[in-house]
Amino acid sequence: MPLRMQYADLVICLDVPRIQSLQGVTTRWFKHFGRTRVDMAVGCPEKIDIEFLQFVWTYQEKIQPHILQQLRESSVDTIIFKSRKSAKAWLKNLT
């Protein structure tokens, strides 16, 4: 992450409730089951396993605090959206 932030002008975070994250994961899984999404590496079909679900479930407690700390310590501008709706509205207003 420090290397990425060195080259970043802006970091955008989506901080939605974990249940919403799990809904997104399962929706994506059903929609693309057994296929590789265009935003995935070739040969990496959509899948869900227990480790990934645990990662999503515990992300806000285990991972997110470390990321937010790194962002606070950096000089990179950061925007944190608390909903997909607010992120979409911000993106829409960019044009």
Side-chain angles (χ1 to χ4, degrees):
M1 187 148 159
L3 180 61
R4 292 177 183 157
M5 290 190 318
Q6 179 181 343
Y7 294 99
D9 296 321
L10 175 68
V11 174
I12 299 172
C13 299
L14 186 57
D15 182 19
V16 297
R18 73 174 70 175
I19 195 71
Q20 196 175 60
S21 294
L22 286 172
Q23 286 173 334
V25 166
T26 54
T27 299
R28 233 180 5 258
W29 181 67
F30 279 116
K31 184 177 179 182
H32 302 283
F33 179 76
R35 297 186 311 255
T36 301
R37 296 190 329 253
V38 296
D39 60 331
M40 299 281 286
V42 175
C44 294
E46 191 69 38
K47 67 174 189 152
I48 291 181
D49 57 25
I50 193 69
E51 286 105 355
F52 183 62
L53 292 175
Q54 287 174 333
F55 172 81
V56 172
W57 187 256
T58 62
Y59 176 83
Q60 288 178 317
E61 291 85 25
K62 290 186 174 183
I63 308 295
Q64 188 179 36
H66 302 288
I67 291 173
L68 293 176
Q69 181 63 34
Q70 289 180 342
L71 290 171
R72 281 191 294 273
E73 293 170 355
S74 78
S75 59
V76 178
D77 291 332
T78 304
I79 300 174
I80 300 175
F81 294 105
K82 295 291 188 178
S83 71
R84 295 176 197 274
K85 183 178 179 179
S86 63
K88 287 177 183 178
W90 182 81
L91 287 169
K92 185 177 179 180
N93 287 326
L94 283 179
T95 56

